[in-house]
Amino acid sequence: MLAGKHILLIIGGGIAAFKSLDLIRRLAERGATVTPVLTRAGEEFVTPLSVSALAGQKLYRDLFDLGDEAEMGHIQLSRVADLVVVAPATADLMAKMAGGLANDLASTLLLATDTPVMIVPAMNVRMWEHAATQRNLATLRADGIAVVGPNEGGMACGEFGPGRMSEPLEIVAAIEVHLADGPLKGRRILVTSGPTHEPIDPVRYIANRSSGAQGTAIGRALASLGGEVVFITGPADVAPPDGVQVIKVQTALQMHDAVNAALPVDAGVFAAAVADWRVTSASDRKLKKSKDGLPTLEFAENPDILKTVSQMKEGRPKLVIGFAAETNDVVENATAKRLRKGCDWIVANDVSPATGIMGGSENSVILISDDGIESWPRMGKDQVAHQLAARIAKALA
Ligand code: CTP
C-alpha cells in the first residue's frame, strides 16, 4: 500500500499519456498523494483539467509561473515527494535527463531533485532502439534512475516491438516495490530464470523442461525485501514477477549479452537453465526431409554466464549464486561445480523425474557455501525463494 506516500508525477508528451490518468487513479486508490506536472507536449495528449481533477491536487505546468513560484518554488516542488515518476518518459525527456538540460519545468525538477526518480519509457520502437536512446538509457541507469518497461507489443503508430508504456498496474507494482522498506533497499540484484531456446531452424529449437517457477519466486521475494531486481528470463511458462525490470531473451547468447548489459549489480542469482550448446549454423530456412538421409546437427558450446560473472576480475558482484540441477550424486557434483565455476553459493537440487521438482511447485534444495553444506526440507518454491532472499539480504548487509 502507498498510504502516506507522495509521488511527483511528470507526464511527458506521448500518446501513452492517456494511461497516466489511470495511473493517477490507481495510486490515489492506494492512498498515495499525486502531485502532477504536465509538460507542454503532454498537454497535447491529456487535458490539464482531467489530470488535476483525477489527482485532486494542483497541477504544475510552467517554470516561470509567478503564482506557482510564490506558493511553492520549483526547487521545493522537486523535493516534496518520496518518488518522482516520469510516465510517459519520452525519448526527448530521457535525452534531456541524460544530458542534464533544464529548459522547462519537468527537466528543471528532474535536475534539481534529490529524491529517487523512476522513468516509464514510451516511444516508437525505432526511437527506443536508436543508439542515442540506448546510450541515454545506460547513462540514466548508471545515475541510479529506476526504469520500468517498456513492454513489447503493437503500438499506436502501427509498428510492433519494445516501446509500449507499461500498464498502470505494472507501474503501481514497481512503485510499491521501490518504496518498500526492506533490508535489500538500495541493492541491485540480477536474476536469470527459465530455459533458453536454441534454434535449429525458424520453426524448431532445442529447449529444456525448466518452467521458470523458482526463478520467478526468487525475483518476487527479492523485490518484496526492497531490492531493485533485474530479471532476465528465457521463454518460461510462469509469468515474470511484477515490480521488477524484466528482460526477455530466447537464447543463451542473448542471455549472456543481457547479463553483461545489466552489470554492475550487488548480487547475481543464476537460476536459469541455460542450454550448454547451440546449433552451430541454425538454418534460416525450415529443414526439409531428404532422400539423402537424416540431417546432422553440429553444436558449439555456449558461454557459461555464471562462470564468466563469478570470475570477473573487476566489478564482480559481491555475491554470486549458481544453481545445480543434478540427477545423481547431487552434493558431490554441486560441490565440484561451485569450485569449477567460482561462485560463492550453489543451490543444488535433485531433478530426477521421480522428485517432480522440475516443473513442479515444490523444491528440496541443498545450499553449498564456504560455511558448509545445508539441506533444506522440501517446501514450496515460494518458501525456498523467501528463505534464500533473506539469506542474500544478510550476506549483503
Ligand atoms: N549456467 C550459466 N550459463 C551456462 C550454463 C549454466 O550461467 N551456459 C548456470 C546456470 O544458470 C546454473 C549453473 O550455471 O546456475 C549450473 O548449470 P548446469 O547446467 O547445471 O551446469 P553445467 O556447468 O552445465 O554442468 P553439467 O551440465 O555438466 O551438469
Side-chain angles (χ1 to χ4, degrees), residues 270-272 274-276 303-306 322-326 337 340-341:
F270 293 85
V274 187
D276 289 324
D304 190 322
I305 308 169
L306 171 64
F323 277 67
E326 308 288 348
K337 197 170 280 181
R340 194 166 67 239
K341 302 216 185 197

